[in-house]
Amino acid sequence: MALQPSLRPLLIAGTFDAPHTLDIFLDYVCPFSAKLSLAIDNVLVPLLGPGGRYHGKVKVIFRPQVQPWHSSSTLVHEAGLAVPRVAPESFWPFSLALFKRQGEYFDIPTSTLTPLQIREKLVALAGEVIAVPSNAAGRFADLLLLKSSPNGGTAVTDDLKYTIKFSRQNGIHVSPTVLWDGLVANEISSSWGEQEWSDFFLAKVEI
């Protein structure tokens, strides 16, 4: 699957020239997405990284999946998409941090907050994760500022539109959803551990 240039940091495991692709659609405020994010970090990243059994064979692309029935979902995904523009190497660490603290952005905790206050919380979280360059956190905050036109969105609205259109044209409805080489792999579960992923790759990938 393709990625527009500004979203190349959404490749979170493997290499771009790997012949097989896992597109993993995740929502930052979905508990099952958070569970799968841990498996990605603990299982897939080592398996697909340098020295891993499937390095150069499989790549993983994080596909932001906004779930509009959660009122903060758009805002947290804006934040996720802002990170690649200021500190590409921090996209996955920021995503993991957001998944670990997703409870702060659930419906009830955010019900008394304005969108500006939620964005301030996200800026503070980015400040904890983005270490270099030193001005990255400030530039991150600028990307989440509303434009001067009344309905113009933010500097990452176009990236947000791209991710939403990509999900819609592929008929993605729930998170997490995983595509293997472009087709939905319904057998993949957020509960999978190292054994299940290893068995999956053994059946799918030629070494």
Side-chain angles (χ1 to χ4, degrees), residues 94-137:
F94 176 81
S95 294
L96 286 174
L98 189 47
F99 278 124
K100 289 175 183 177
R101 292 170 58 173
Q102 67 175 191
E104 298 176 26
Y105 301 93
F106 284 174
D107 294 344
I108 291 179
T110 58
S111 62
T112 59
L113 300 177
T114 68
L116 290 178
Q117 289 172 321
I118 295 171
R119 287 188 174 103
E120 288 173 358
K121 284 174 59 68
L122 291 163
V123 169
L125 178 60
E128 297 174 17
V129 177
I130 301 174
V132 291
S134 59
N135 65 339

Side-chain angles (χ1 to χ4, degrees), residues 82 85-86 119 123 135-147 153-156:
R85 291 180 172 268
V86 298
R119 287 188 174 103
V123 169
N135 65 339
R139 291 190 289 126
F140 171 88
D142 291 341
L143 290 173
L144 299 186
L145 292 176
L146 292 171
K147 296 178 181 179
T154 70
V156 294

Side-chain angles (χ1 to χ4, degrees), residues 43-104:
V43 179
L44 296 185
V45 170
L47 278 176
L48 307 183
R53 178 175 175 81
Y54 297 100
H55 180 62
K57 301 291 185 179
V58 182
K59 59 182 173 291
V60 177
I61 298 175
F62 183 133
R63 298 290 185 177
Q65 176 70 3
V66 176
Q67 305 283 37
W69 48 86
H70 296 306
S71 58
S72 71
S73 186
T74 295
L75 301 176
V76 294
H77 282 288
E78 278 183 343
L81 292 168
V83 175
R85 291 180 172 268
V86 298
E89 72 287 347
S90 294
F91 171 73
W92 183 234
F94 176 81
S95 294
L96 286 174
L98 189 47
F99 278 124
K100 289 175 183 177
R101 292 170 58 173
Q102 67 175 191
E104 298 176 26

Side-chain angles (χ1 to χ4, degrees), residues 168-185:
R168 287 176 177 173
Q169 78 169 14
N170 286 286
I172 307 301
H173 300 291
V174 299
S175 61
T177 294
V178 182
L179 307 186
W180 172 257
D181 290 344
L183 298 179
V184 175

